[in-house]
Amino acid sequence: MKKTIQMLIITFAIFLVAINPAFAEQYPDKVVEKLGTGLANAVTGVAEIPKTINIVGNQDGVIHGMTVGFITGIANAVGRSLSGAFDIATFLIPTTPFVKPAYIWDDFSRKTTFVEAQMR
C-alpha cells in the first residue's frame, strides 16, 4: 500500500513538472496582451462617441444618430474606458476583455457589446 501511494505521488509530481513549463511560457504573453488591451481601451474609450453616432446614424437616420447615438456613445465610452482601467488594474490575471471588439479600431463599423470576461 505504501509503495502504491509513493508511486502515485511520484507520477503526479512528474505530471506537474511536465505540464508547468507550457503554462509558464504562455503566461507572460497573456499578461502583456491584457495590459496592452487595457491601456488601449482606457485611452481610446472617447472614440466610442463618434463611432456610435456614425453606426446609429447609418442605420436609423441622422437625427436618431445625433441623439440616441450620442447618448449610447457616451455610455459605450464610459464602459470601454472602465473596462480598460479594470484590465490595467488586474493585468496579472489573464482574462479576455469585457468589450467586443477588443480594440476600437478592430472593426469601426461594428456595434460595441459588453460580454462576460473569461480566462485567456
Side-chain angles (χ1 to χ4, degrees), residues 4 12 25 27-28 34 42-43 47 52 59 68-69 72 74 77 87-88 90 92 95 97 101 109:
T4 305
F12 184 70
E25 290 174 11
Y27 180 75
K34 183 175 180 180
V43 172
T52 308
Q59 288 178 349
V68 174
T72 306
I74 290 173
D87 284 348
I88 292 168
T90 61
L92 292 175
T95 58
S109 61

Side-chain angles (χ1 to χ4, degrees), residues 40-51:
N41 284 334
V43 172
T44 62
V46 71
E48 282 287 346
I49 297 170
K51 173 187 171 183

Side-chain angles (χ1 to χ4, degrees), residues 45-85:
V46 71
E48 282 287 346
I49 297 170
K51 173 187 171 183
T52 308
I53 289 173
N54 185 32
I55 291 171
V56 173
N58 288 338
Q59 288 178 349
D60 300 328
V62 175
I63 302 296
H64 202 232
M66 296 302 285
T67 55
V68 174
F70 179 71
I71 294 168
T72 306
I74 290 173
N76 287 345
V78 169
R80 185 174 287 276
S81 296
L82 288 177
S83 172

Side-chain angles (χ1 to χ4, degrees), residues 12-31:
F12 184 70
I14 291 172
F15 178 74
L16 284 179
V17 170
I19 283 276
N20 201 18
F23 291 124
E25 290 174 11
Q26 296 171 356
Y27 180 75
D29 294 337
K30 292 177 181 180
V31 168

